[in-house]
Structure formats: structure tokens, C-alpha cells
Amino acid sequence: MSFLNYKSLLTEKECCELLKEDASHRVHHNEKDIVLLIANNYDVFFNFTHMTNEWKIGNLKTDSQEELIRRIVDEDIPALNRARQVTLKELAEKYGNVQSNKAFQLGDYKDFLLNRYLEDENS
């Protein structure tokens, strides 16, 4: 059995090392094609990551079309707004485990750290 992108996997320890001086932010952006996910309760999400309240764009039944479109175009949702306020260095310092040998692709690890931060902020 082979794993997709196996050679690009890093340990969490290696990811932390790469991010320890990274002053950038993990902010996803729309690409050429915008892909949305619609939940069974009509909540709308980007396909960036989790379908949680932080990532929610709005609701097809309760929010106006104009407001939903504005949030999509402006990428104005709680998760992205918070992501603009914290660096990857800060996330790695607070949530990274330099003793861990768990395997990640670096992009997935950045998302993992950001989601830990978002969960922490909402608890």
C-alpha cells in the first residue's frame, strides 16, 4: 500500500521547527473557482476546512443573498478574520508539540494549528 505524498510528510517536531520563526498567517483564499459546501440545515461554508461555526459563511434561509455574496467575495468570516491576527510562529509555540512524531503535510499541520486556536478561542 502506498500513501499519497508520503515523501512530503514531516513529523510534528519537524513542522514546529519550520514554523518557529514564521511570521506569516494561515489565511485561505478563494481560487479561480469558488467551492462552497451547503449543510443539510442550509448553513454555507467554504471548502477550506471544517464545517464549524468559525468557518460558517451564513445560512441560505436566514441571511440575504447580498450579504452571503459579500462575505464570500470579501472572505469575511470569523475563522479567516481571526487567522489574520495570529502568526504561524504563535500557533506553533502555543499548540505545537516538539516531542511529537505524528506525521503531517506542512499545509495540513498549519490548518491543524489554526483549528486548535479557533476551538480554543470559542471555548
Side-chain angles (χ1 to χ4, degrees), residues 67-85:
E67 181 59 14
L68 289 171
I69 291 168
R70 185 200 65 75
R71 291 177 192 163
I72 292 166
V73 171
D74 294 344
E75 298 174 347
D76 183 14
I77 60 172
L80 294 177
N81 293 333
R82 289 191 189 121
R84 292 179 185 98
Q85 299 171 2

Side-chain angles (χ1 to χ4, degrees), residues 26-66:
R26 182 62 170 177
V27 181
H28 290 274
H29 295 286
N30 292 314
E31 300 294 329
K32 179 181 172 188
D33 296 321
I34 298 173
V35 179
L36 301 174
L37 305 174
I38 312 297
N40 62 353
N41 64 352
Y42 303 99
D43 284 344
V44 181
F45 302 87
F46 289 113
N47 70 327
F48 301 147
T49 185
H50 299 306
M51 292 174 72
T52 60
N53 280 335
E54 299 85 17
W55 291 99
K56 182 176 157 182
I57 298 167
N59 185 282
L60 290 174
K61 288 199 172 209
T62 61
D63 295 304
S64 72
Q65 288 179 342
E66 293 80 12

Side-chain angles (χ1 to χ4, degrees), residues 3-4 20 45 49 51-52 91 99 105 120:
F3 294 96
L4 183 64
K20 73 179 183 180
F45 302 87
T49 185
M51 292 174 72
T52 60
L91 293 173
Q99 304 302 316
Q105 290 187 11
D120 207 20

